Amino acid sequence: MTVRHFLRDDDLTPSEQKQVLELGLAFREDRHVRQPLSGPRAVAFITDKPTLRTQVSFATGIAELGGFPLMVDGNLAQIGVRESIADTTHVLDRMVSAIVWRTFGDDRIQEMAAASRVPVVNALTDGFHPCQILADLLTVAQHRGGVTALPGQAFAYVGDCANNMAHSYLLGGATAGLHVRVAGPQGYLPDAAIVARARAIAEETGGSVTVTDDPVEAVTGADAVATDTWVSMGAEAQAAERSRPFVPFQLDAGLLAHARADAIVLHCLPAYRGKEITADVIDGPQSVVFDEAENRLHAQKALLTWLLEQR
């Protein structure tokens, strides 16, 4: 029996990603169009990190799929501390239909997936945030004419390009056939191996990948512009030192003016107004950040449904 997992964005082929996004749009139209967890069947949601949108969207989504969201506090479970990750997985996969984990190192979730007999979903790791990018692609599709309109769209991301969001934008965007442009200061650019992988995918899908330290180059003519916090979870103690290099990459009205006049603005939230994005931009008419937040629900329901149907 082959079990499909979703640990990073390129775990879905372009055609598979398209199937998931099409199903996500269907869930936007009818939140109960499919209920693969009806019974109910349980899905474990484990979080080792603070969360709001991820926890609420997965818990709500699992319930709307007819299932039971089993919420597990990672700080109490101490996975990999009290017992091995593999032993924990062997216990869980006898009771639940899927496992969703928000954790730290990618090696942890890879170890769980290797041991699991049920799908394992990455709800955020240090390296990737693939469920967020599914929601972002769904948001672009929602505002740009559907999933078939995604190939060829220009998508710009400015800010910390050495983080999980940038890595997932590169892989997920290339898979969708986007022209992905990421811009960050020197010292905060993406992992070279991820860039190479994204470029290889883009060659197949007709997309492209640009990495630059010039935010204007990234944003010029873009159909969608995104940013993220300059200080990721776990780096709060270095907030002042880390923020200085990012000041020229703030998404303000001046930078946004280089994009298309009807470009949409995304931010995965929480946002720090006056830091990585100004209030007039995130609260302005081009912002779709709350559609983007809602689309976590629809995209993740589509992903779970698709994964469960692969068995």
Side-chain angles (χ1 to χ4, degrees), residues 123-286:
L124 182 142
T125 56
D126 293 343
F128 304 98
H129 199 356
C131 289
Q132 180 66 58
I133 270 52
L134 281 180
D136 288 16
L137 292 171
L138 193 62
T139 306
V140 177
Q142 175 190 349
H143 288 273
R144 286 287 184 261
V147 177
T148 56
L150 286 176
Q153 295 278 320
F155 189 102
Y157 169 82
V158 293
D160 185 357
C161 292
N163 71 6
N164 48 13
M165 285 296 294
H167 289 161
S168 279
Y169 275 132
L170 287 166
L171 295 180
T175 301
L178 300 180
H179 298 300
V180 186
R181 311 168 187 165
V182 300
Q186 291 294 330
Y188 296 91
L189 294 175
D191 185 292
I194 300 300
V195 175
R197 174 62 179 147
R199 285 182 169 144
I201 296 170
E203 286 184 6
E204 299 177 4
T205 62
S208 64
V209 169
T210 300
V211 178
T212 177
D213 59 4
D214 182 351
V216 173
E217 178 187 356
V219 170
T220 297
D223 298 284
V225 183
T227 189
D228 186 21
T229 179
W230 293 338
V231 183
S232 297
M233 282 183 285
E236 291 82 357
Q238 299 88 39
E241 179 184 352
R242 282 183 57 90
S243 294
R244 279 192 292 272
F246 293 108
V247 171
F249 295 83
Q250 182 186 66
L251 182 53
D252 58 15
L255 181 57
L256 183 60
H258 293 279
R260 282 179 41 157
D262 63 348
I264 58 174
V265 171
L266 298 102
H267 191 304
C268 63
L269 303 176
Y272 299 90
R273 290 169 171 77
K275 296 293 186 180
E276 74 273 8
I277 192 167
T278 55
D280 60 323
V281 170
I282 194 169
D283 296 328
Q286 292 173 257

Side-chain angles (χ1 to χ4, degrees), residues 92-115:
L92 288 175
D93 72 9
R94 290 177 177 237
M95 303 182 191
V96 303
S97 296
I99 302 169
V100 180
W101 197 8
R102 181 178 173 91
T103 188
F104 295 93
D106 290 85
D107 57 328
R108 288 167 59 77
I109 201 164
Q110 289 164 4
E111 185 175 347
M112 176 173 281

Side-chain angles (χ1 to χ4, degrees), residues 263-307:
I264 58 174
V265 171
L266 298 102
H267 191 304
C268 63
L269 303 176
Y272 299 90
R273 290 169 171 77
K275 296 293 186 180
E276 74 273 8
I277 192 167
T278 55
D280 60 323
V281 170
I282 194 169
D283 296 328
Q286 292 173 257
S287 173
V288 295
V289 298
F290 294 110
D291 283 343
E292 181 186 5
E294 178 188 336
N295 283 334
R296 291 291 302 275
L297 172 68
H298 308 306
Q300 290 160 186
K301 286 171 66 179
L303 175 70
L304 282 172
T305 300
W306 188 89
L307 287 171

Side-chain angles (χ1 to χ4, degrees), residues 12-25 147 302-303 306 309-310:
L12 294 178
T13 67
S15 64
E16 291 170 345
Q17 183 197 66
K18 183 179 178 183
Q19 293 171 32
V20 171
L21 294 174
E22 294 279 13
L23 185 53
L25 287 179
V147 177
L303 175 70
W306 188 89
E309 290 177 349
Q310 303 310 302

Side-chain angles (χ1 to χ4, degrees), residues 77-96:
Q78 296 188 338
I79 297 172
V81 177
R82 293 177 62 239
E83 63 181 353
S84 71
I85 291 174
D87 283 357
T88 297
T89 307
H90 294 323
V91 172
L92 288 175
D93 72 9
R94 290 177 177 237
M95 303 182 191
V96 303

Side-chain angles (χ1 to χ4, degrees), residues 16-94:
E16 291 170 345
Q17 183 197 66
K18 183 179 178 183
Q19 293 171 32
V20 171
L21 294 174
E22 294 279 13
L23 185 53
L25 287 179
F27 276 119
R28 275 196 65 86
E29 293 296 318
D30 179 353
R31 290 170 68 149
H32 303 288
V33 66
R34 302 263 279 275
Q35 292 197 306
L37 293 169
S38 181
R41 297 159 62 189
V43 173
F45 177 91
I46 312 164
T47 181
D48 298 336
K49 290 184 173 182
T51 176
L52 172 66
R53 276 154 296 279
T54 300
Q55 175 175 324
V56 171
S57 58
F58 267 110
T60 303
I62 291 162
E64 291 185 355
L65 292 176
F68 174 74
L70 177 64
M71 313 307 290
V72 180
D73 183 337
N75 293 316
L76 293 178
Q78 296 188 338
I79 297 172
V81 177
R82 293 177 62 239
E83 63 181 353
S84 71
I85 291 174
D87 283 357
T88 297
T89 307
H90 294 323
V91 172
L92 288 175
D93 72 9
R94 290 177 177 237

